[in-house]
Amino acid sequence: GAVVSQHPSRVICKSGTSVKIECRSLDFQATTMFWYRQFPKQSLMLMATSNEGSKATYEQGVEKDKFLINHASLTLSTLTVTSAHPEDSSFYICSAPGGAGTQYFGPGTRLLVL
Amino acid sequence: GQQLNQSPQSMFIQEGEDVSMNCTSSSIFNTWLWYKQDPGEGPVLLIALYKAGELTSNGRLTAQFGITRKDSFLNISASIPSDVGIYFCAGFGGTNAGKSTFGDGTTLTVKP
């Protein structure tokens, strides 16, 4: 079946640095991808919708300058957490639409900001 | 925005028991989805429901799309240890066009 990969799977960085997370659709093309954030024991919170060839659409309350999204090709979307701080530590998950409302999720990226 | 109320929040059961969880919403959806998330992984689709009243099975899992289009349930029969994880319901096709709304999840623990 369709597979979505994420890289890195986990990252530890110092406060103030930027971190880039890649999301790839491995055997299909995705003009749209979604980026979620998940805190421990909580649900998935949609951060933004990544659109190939155009600007991402951010959810209310998500800082677009803090979380930069680039959908450079039909198989790659990236999320860059700029000037990361400890409160940005979380589990970040991307997904691509699978048709009829379904989504194929990536394995997630665990970010820890020290 | 739209919200889903998923219950129960957590369940502790013995291996072999049946499990039931449900989601309700104040607004309608065109599609109901159930996902399972293992620790440290992304969610995986279990069942998708597209018609009001639809009852669909996937192995030991059975889910139904409520007649009112505002609710859905998931049943797991004869639970096994690998059923452990977090189960999320999601509604699609409501007022949040093109996006899914997720429930808060049901954490399932199965004791051998």
Side-chain angles (χ1 to χ4, degrees):
Chain A
V3 176
V4 173
S5 70
Q6 276 185 248
H7 177 80
S9 59
R10 59 177 61 221
V11 57
I12 301 173
C13 69
K14 292 182 180 179
S15 185
T17 60
S18 294
V19 175
K20 179 186 286 188
I21 302 170
E22 294 185 347
C23 178
R24 294 182 185 272
S25 56
L26 296 185
D27 54 358
F28 65 104
Q29 294 181 332
T31 56
T32 300
M33 288 184 178
F34 301 103
W35 285 96
Y36 293 86
R37 182 174 182 176
Q38 186 180 34
F39 291 106
K41 300 189 184 300
Q42 294 190 21
S43 188
L44 294 88
M45 184 192 80
L46 181 64
M47 300 173 65
T49 302
S50 173
N51 304 298
E52 189 270 336
S54 65
K55 292 181 180 180
T57 306
Y58 289 82
E59 295 300 302
Q60 191 173 8
V62 178
E63 299 176 58
K64 58 182 66 176
D65 294 330
K66 172 76 172 177
F67 299 99
L68 299 178
I69 290 172
N70 183 23
H71 199 136
S73 74
L74 288 171
T75 59
L76 173 64
S77 175
T78 60
L79 168 68
T80 301
V81 183
T82 63
S83 186
H85 290 283
E87 57 266 28
D88 298 323
S89 300
S90 189
F91 193 51
Y92 293 87
I93 310 173
C94 69
S95 73
T102 64
Q103 294 180 55
Y104 296 111
F105 286 90
T109 296
R110 173 110 18 226
L111 171 63
L112 177 61
V113 184
L114 301 176
Chain B
Q2 293 179 296
Q3 287 188 324
L4 296 184
N5 296 310
Q6 185 172 350
S7 65
Q9 185 177 18
S10 61
M11 302 183 74
F12 296 83
I13 62 171
Q14 289 289 142
E15 183 177 359
E17 291 183 350
D18 297 342
V19 171
S20 184
M21 58 193 79
N22 70 87
C23 270
T24 60
S25 172
S26 58
S27 53
I28 65 174
F29 289 100
N30 296 327
T31 301
W32 280 93
L33 307 137
W34 285 92
Y35 292 88
K36 182 192 177 194
Q37 185 179 28
D38 290 329
E41 299 288 335
V44 173
L45 180 68
L46 297 174
I47 292 179
L49 302 156
Y50 299 107
K51 291 170 55 177
E54 178 182 355
L55 184 70
T56 298
S57 293
N58 178 7
R60 294 177 295 106
L61 278 61
T62 302
Q64 184 159 32
F65 191 143
I67 290 290
T68 65
R69 295 168 62 191
K70 294 182 179 181
D71 64 300
S72 176
F73 72 75
L74 173 70
N75 287 340
I76 305 173
S77 63
S79 59
I80 59 178
S82 61
D83 290 333
V84 165
I86 305 176
Y87 292 80
F88 291 102
C89 63
F92 180 83
T95 56
N96 287 339
K99 294 180 285 190
S100 289
T101 301
F102 284 83
D104 288 338
T106 295
T107 300
L108 178 64
T109 302
V110 180
K111 302 174 190 175

